[in-house]
Amino acid sequence: MDNISNIFHNDLLPSLGARANQSIKLRKFIISPYDSRYRIWETFLLVLVVYSAWIYPFELAFLRHLSWKLFLVENIVNSFFAIDIILTFFLAYLDHKSYLLVDNPKRIAARYLSSWFILDVCSTIPYQPFGLLFNKHGNGLAYRTLNMLRLWRLRRLSALFARLEKDIRLNYYWIRCTKLISVTLFAIHCSGCFIYLIADTYPDPSRTWIGAAIPNYRSESLWVRYVTAIYWSITTLTTTGYGDLHAENPREMSFCICFMLFNLGLTAYLIGNMTNLVVQGSCRTRNFRDTIHAASRFAARNQLPEQIRDEMLAHICLRYKTEGLKQKETLDSLPKAIRSSIACHLFLPVLEKIYLFDGVSFTCRLQLVTTMEAEYYPPRETIILQNETPTDVYILVSGAVVSPTIRLMIVKILQFLTTMHTSVTFAILFGRKNG
């Protein structure tokens, strides 16, 4: 039994989001993917991924010759990702078949070598030093094109957004909006860089989209050329098409055809996601309004008394306000042992304050609390009808109740006092008249 407990403690993955994930004991030199230090390392790499996503398309299109500072920065960035490749051979992973955290070094290495290892290496190799052997600047078009393999690192951002969308501490709406904006900006940046590269490598500069508008565009500043390329990308992406910048040769026409076809899918993706977010945000309110209208029509069609109609609407409103609690649905989805622990924590202190259960054994109280449920009732709602045989016991935690008998007595007393008050008044008025 002890061996089995140790196996579960060391290998079984705890529930998603539990703090126990950060303290899983693994083999020596094996890194847990839930370790806080590794999370900081991942966050640091994500900053470098964002840098790579912007600089490499920009470098491919606009920078024919790298400065030594940019050359040094790129190799430092590549060294960090090279270190991450080494760390991945010591990173435990979750087996999706058994849902166990695997910390066997041989299995970790075999899995990594058979999956993303080749692509990670290709996206980390420093191509500029090799280019220096054949080109004095080490930055020919072929080597700049190989640098585009660095964009493979963007898969880390995709995994980040997938994880953030499941994090209940963050707002899902804003996470999705940030993702959509990031995808759009990246598409605009890449398309602007590619269309400029096509124009810059065309034999006749005057027959290019930018050369027709700015004849000596190569003499313009880097900022002007980049802004012009982004301007073309945005007007094309949004289908505005002012016509001041347009394709002038077959290469540019071919690229524009591909880019506009890509825009169809991107636009559908953006509109679909935004529509889903808007509908999701208003779905709960719309369902509440539909339920209220349905209940009102039901009461009018069946000519129900106003009191019953008010009770129906009050119950629907209360259910709408307490929908976020969903206590019963949450408890029903948990194992029996966890439900019993929660029930003891919630209901046992309440049960101990009831004089009716004084002297009852602790074991009996535990059996009682496991069958207890929390209920919410709006004001003036009937809980138990008169002359009805109740099958439940209610313990009042908050609020006040009036039994049907007591309420009937109060009504009769009020009616009696009203009748007496009216009789006396009439008697006084009649006496005055006779007098």
Side-chain angles (χ1 to χ4, degrees):
M1 189 66 178
D2 293 338
N3 293 335
I4 295 177
S5 299
N6 290 332
I7 291 174
F8 280 124
H9 178 70
N10 294 334
D11 293 337
L12 186 62
L13 184 69
S15 56
L16 180 63
R19 286 178 295 179
N21 289 341
Q22 302 177 2
S23 59
I24 298 176
K25 294 183 179 179
L26 301 174
R27 298 186 185 186
K28 192 176 182 180
F29 302 119
I30 299 299
I31 304 172
S32 171
Y34 307 104
D35 189 276
S36 59
R37 293 168 295 181
Y38 183 74
R39 290 294 190 187
I40 295 175
W41 171 256
E42 279 190 321
T43 305
F44 172 70
L45 290 182
L46 288 175
V47 177
L48 301 183
V49 168
V50 175
Y51 168 80
S52 301
W54 181 85
I55 192 61
Y56 290 112
F58 182 82
E59 175 187 315
L60 174 65
F62 295 95
L63 302 180
R64 290 191 174 187
H65 308 291
L66 285 182
S67 63
W68 67 270
K69 294 181 180 179
L70 187 57
F71 178 83
L72 180 62
V73 170
E74 286 192 5
N75 284 279
I76 292 175
V77 171
N78 291 333
S79 65
F80 283 116
F81 285 98
I83 294 173
D84 185 70
I85 291 177
I86 298 174
L87 292 178
T88 306
F89 283 99
F90 300 92
L91 181 66
Y93 71 92
L94 178 66
D95 187 354
H96 293 287
K97 293 183 179 179
S98 61
Y99 287 94
L100 299 178
L101 201 61
V102 178
D103 60 353
N104 188 320
K106 294 183 179 179
R107 292 182 60 184
I108 294 174
R111 176 179 178 269
Y112 185 43
L113 291 173
S114 61
S115 55
W116 310 123
F117 174 74
I118 299 298
L119 292 174
D120 287 345
V121 171
C122 292
S123 64
T124 309
I125 295 176
Y127 296 103
Q128 292 89 348
F130 294 101
L132 288 173
L133 299 176
F134 306 98
N135 188 301
K136 63 178 181 178
H137 298 292
N139 198 35
L141 181 60
Y143 302 103
R144 286 185 291 160
T145 304
L146 288 175
N147 282 337
M148 292 300 294
L149 293 173
R150 314 282 195 237
L151 296 182
W152 166 250
R153 301 167 182 171
L154 287 173
R155 65 183 178 86
R156 296 174 180 270
L157 283 179
S158 178
L160 171 67
F161 280 112
R163 187 169 70 246
L164 293 180
E165 289 173 357
K166 300 175 184 177
D167 195 334
I168 60 175
R169 296 170 299 179
L170 304 176
N171 188 290
Y172 177 79
Y173 176 83
W174 292 113
I175 294 298
R176 292 293 295 180
C177 288
T178 304
K179 181 179 180 180
L180 297 178
I181 294 173
S182 301
V183 170
T184 305
L185 293 178
F186 178 71
I188 291 172
H189 174 69
C190 287
S191 61
C193 293
F194 291 154
I195 194 63
Y196 180 84
L197 176 66
I198 294 174
D200 193 46
T201 56
Y202 195 72
D204 187 1
S206 62
R207 289 192 57 201
T208 60
W209 66 272
I210 189 172
I214 308 175
N216 297 322
Y217 68 91
R218 289 177 179 173
S219 62
E220 296 289 341
S221 65
L222 182 61
W223 171 253
V224 172
R225 287 178 286 158
Y226 178 71
V227 170
T228 305
I230 296 300
Y231 169 77
W232 174 91
S233 180
I234 292 178
T235 55
T236 306
L237 177 66
T238 58
T239 68
T240 304
Y242 291 116
D244 51 348
L245 299 176
H246 57 274
E248 293 284 349
N249 57 70
R251 294 183 189 178
E252 296 174 352
M253 293 178 184
S254 300
F255 176 78
C256 289
I257 291 173
C258 296
F259 183 53
M260 285 184 284
L261 291 176
F262 168 78
N263 288 343
L264 294 176
L266 180 61
T267 304
Y269 171 76
L270 295 175
I271 294 177
N273 277 269
M274 293 304 297
T275 303
N276 184 38
L277 291 176
V278 173
V279 170
Q280 185 180 9
S282 60
C283 182
R284 182 168 175 262
T285 303
R286 188 181 67 252
N287 291 337
F288 169 71
R289 291 174 60 88
D290 293 342
T291 305
I292 290 292
H293 286 311
S296 300
R297 289 194 298 268
F298 175 82
R301 184 171 58 252
N302 294 276
Q303 299 181 357
L304 297 180
E306 185 177 355
Q307 179 184 358
I308 299 179
R309 175 181 174 276
D310 292 340
E311 290 181 356
M312 291 173 55
L313 298 181
H315 177 76
I316 294 173
C317 292
L318 181 67
R319 187 177 62 184
Y320 174 78
K321 294 178 180 179
T322 59
E323 187 179 0
L325 300 177
K326 292 185 178 180
Q327 182 169 329
K328 190 176 186 309
E329 290 81 354
T330 303
L331 292 176
D332 290 342
S333 63
L334 297 175
K336 183 177 180 181
I338 299 180
R339 292 202 307 267
S340 300
S341 300
I342 295 175
C344 290
H345 176 75
L346 295 178
F347 304 133
L348 191 59
V350 177
L351 201 65
E352 291 176 348
K353 298 178 181 179
I354 307 302
Y355 70 91
L356 184 63
F357 298 98
D358 289 344
V360 177
S361 65
F362 182 75
T363 304
C364 182
R365 293 182 182 180
L366 289 180
Q367 294 178 352
L368 289 175
V369 296
T370 55
T371 60
M372 295 177 66
E373 296 179 1
E375 295 286 348
Y376 301 90
Y377 293 97
R380 303 182 63 82
E381 180 174 348
T382 302
I383 300 176
I384 300 176
L385 295 176
Q386 190 176 6
N387 300 325
E388 177 187 10
T389 303
T391 57
D392 299 322
V393 176
Y394 292 88
I395 298 176
L396 182 64
V397 177
S398 176
V401 294
V402 179
S403 66
T405 304
I406 297 176
R407 185 169 61 182
L408 183 61
M409 292 175 58
I410 293 175
V411 171
K412 289 184 177 180
I413 291 173
L414 291 175
Q415 291 178 348
F416 174 74
L417 292 176
T418 304
T419 304
M420 291 295 296
H421 179 68
T422 306
S423 300
V424 172
T425 304
F426 281 161
I428 294 173
L429 292 176
F430 184 76
R432 287 183 180 177
K433 183 177 181 181
N434 288 341

